[in-house]
Amino acid sequence: MCTQIGDQVGKHVWRAAVTGGAAVVFTAVAAVPAGAAEGGVSFTRVQVNGGKPIVIGVSNEVAAPASFRMATTEAWEYPAVFLYRGTANGGDQLWHAIETSDCIKVSSGVCDFNETMYFDPSVRDMHNSEAGAWKVAAQVYFRDDGGDTDDEGLTVYVKRNSRLTCNASPEAVAKDRTITVTGKVTRANWETRKYASYGGRLVSLQFKPSGAASYTTVKKVYANSSGDLRTTVKASKTGTWRWAYHGNTTTGPSTSAGDNVVVN
């Protein structure tokens, strides 16, 4: 056990749902803080990933930062924020590893914490149904017995990563002649750990003239049932073409690499 020395406590990592065990336990005995909840604990200043969606592919670990403030009258263990569906007590919790910082003392009995949520689809069997909206709760266990879990009134979207390819041809063309731009939209399948076709998506075809700083949308095209994209446009000037998908509640946005076409 790692016991508090002064104001610092050890880090801990949970390689299970929040209700699981920790590699290191840390404890503290706090004086009664101003503004503590009636039950002895209050959580404030809760943030997860800066309010942005957490987008996960099929192999790389994703680290999502979180932070919170805890005021408590109790001797405590395992403070953390976590993601859930249903109810904060007894609902479904999204599996992820958690690393929580030492107590950053604000005042007597009040600590700020920095937390990192780790999502690794290569070592844990994620389910596609887990994509979408999750609520945020904060939880702490008391050293003697019991604990406190509070709904924080926040929503975080966990999304499957998407990918796009692009090919514009011919890549040297006479002015005002037609070029064909093709591509494919896919998204992460967490259950197979591969990218699969994502059909029916509305995707933007974008163009950036040579020397310009940004892309503009030329038209929007629906992918077919296999995720394939195809359209034709007139080539009026040399520049780079790409596809851009803006995502939805279960799938993250993506842009393809650009394909340059020289107009003679």
Side-chain angles (χ1 to χ4, degrees), residues 163-202:
R163 287 180 174 176
L164 282 166
T165 61
C166 179
N167 182 65
S169 63
E171 294 187 356
V173 65
K175 182 177 174 64
D176 292 331
R177 296 298 296 269
T178 297
I179 63 170
T180 300
V181 186
T182 59
K184 189 176 185 69
V185 55
T186 59
R187 69 169 172 172
N189 184 323
W190 292 335
E191 295 169 9
T192 64
R193 298 180 184 176
K194 297 179 181 180
Y195 280 83
S197 300
Y198 194 27
R201 300 306 100 194
L202 182 62

Side-chain angles (χ1 to χ4, degrees), residues 1 8 21 47 56 61 66 111 122 175 211 220 222 226 261:
M1 175 175 289
Q8 299 299 315
Q47 295 187 27
I56 305 169
E61 182 179 72
C111 292
S122 70
K175 182 177 174 64
K220 295 185 178 182
Y222 281 97
S226 298
V261 173

